[in-house]
Amino acid sequence: MSNLELLQKAEADFDEKKAAEAKKAYEKLPETPYRGLLPDHGEIQVTIAANGTDQGIFYESEGTISLPVEVLPEQYEAVMKEFGEAEICVNERTGETAVMKISENTDHGDCTLVYDSGLELGYYLSYDPYPGTYSLWANSADTLFKPVYEGSIYVLKGAEKGWSGYFQLPPEERFLEDGGWRKMDFTGEDSGESETYSGNVPAFDEKGYLRGLYYYGD
């Protein structure tokens, strides 16, 4: 389907009355309970159950929101330059922490996190100039996330789910059922693959309602 055909179809399907009703209903919606936790920039990992309840112009479903584990500049200095230790929060909801030490084997990362269980894992460090902190990653650029919210997540009807190659597809292929795009319809299954929708590049609106969820891999 060409771009012109897509535009013509969108125009033919447009219902001005329904659009006005949806706009009015949206204006009445309150801000989501997690809106204040969402940063303006950077990765945000979102996992949502693929079944949910119909709330009119949006779906409500249980899910988790996680942000990258942060290492503050002073913690970085203490570990990487002074060869000391720093306590890093790895779960914002439970308060769980791990002890960060400089790595004894740089093949496994810049630093090591030692958990209360005794588990030790190596991570590399990347500086993020926007918040002025460091993030941790392992393997082939897999970011280490910490949960910051668990509960109801609100998804506007028509929200889409896509993988990293979605925007590289020709426009006409983005709308194929077996392509890199699909709507989140909350029928209980994510295209037969999973019982959850997940991604690390969500598109939230100003109230915190999800408009799209994308996965950008390694």
Side-chain angles (χ1 to χ4, degrees):
M1 186 180 290
S2 68
N3 287 343
L4 178 59
E5 289 172 323
L6 289 172
L7 288 172
Q8 290 173 335
K9 183 179 184 304
E11 289 176 354
D13 292 342
F14 181 74
D15 187 316
E16 188 172 348
K17 183 179 179 181
K18 286 185 178 179
E21 290 174 349
K23 183 176 183 296
K24 188 175 182 180
Y26 176 79
E27 289 172 349
K28 293 180 180 179
L29 293 180
E31 187 175 276
T32 61
Y34 49 82
R35 176 63 186 90
L37 299 172
L38 303 176
D40 294 329
H41 300 275
E43 282 187 278
I44 304 174
Q45 186 180 66
V46 178
T47 301
I48 312 171
N51 54 10
T53 57
D54 190 325
Q55 301 289 354
I57 64 170
F58 69 94
Y59 295 104
E60 179 179 353
S61 188
E62 293 298 300
T64 302
I65 297 174
S66 301
L67 300 178
V69 168
E70 285 187 324
V71 177
L72 301 176
E74 57 267 29
Q75 294 172 320
Y76 177 89
E77 293 279 336
V79 174
M80 303 305 297
K81 294 188 177 181
E82 299 173 11
F83 305 101
E85 299 180 355
E87 192 173 37
I88 306 298
C89 180
V90 294
N91 190 320
E92 201 73 45
R93 294 188 63 252
T94 65
E96 180 186 1
T97 61
V99 175
M100 176 180 164
K101 301 178 179 180
I102 196 166
S103 178
E104 296 180 1
N105 185 345
T106 54
D107 289 339
H108 297 158
D110 302 316
C111 64
T112 300
L113 288 190
V114 182
Y115 294 81
D116 288 342
S117 63
L119 179 66
E120 297 189 18
L121 297 174
Y123 293 98
Y124 294 95
L125 287 155
S126 293
Y127 181 68
D128 186 342
Y130 180 76
T133 59
Y134 296 82
S135 60
L136 299 165
W137 56 276
N139 302 322
S140 50
D142 293 331
T143 303
L144 178 64
F145 289 94
K146 59 181 179 182
V148 298
Y149 173 84
E150 184 173 339
S152 292
I153 295 178
Y154 304 99
V155 183
L156 291 173
K157 287 185 176 178
E160 60 184 24
K161 167 76 169 65
W163 45 273
S164 60
Y166 169 69
F167 293 106
Q168 282 71 50
L169 291 174
E172 62 272 15
E173 292 185 20
R174 297 178 191 172
F175 294 86
L176 297 177
E177 289 185 4
D178 57 350
W181 173 92
R182 55 189 178 272
K183 286 187 178 180
M184 300 169 68
D185 56 13
F186 290 88
T187 56
E189 247 183 17
D190 178 12
S191 293
E193 300 172 1
S194 170
E195 293 183 354
T196 61
Y197 296 111
S198 61
N200 58 349
V201 184
F204 288 103
D205 69 9
E206 64 273 14
K207 292 183 179 182
Y209 290 81
L210 191 68
R211 296 184 288 109
L213 182 59
Y214 304 94
Y215 174 70
Y216 277 43
D218 303 340

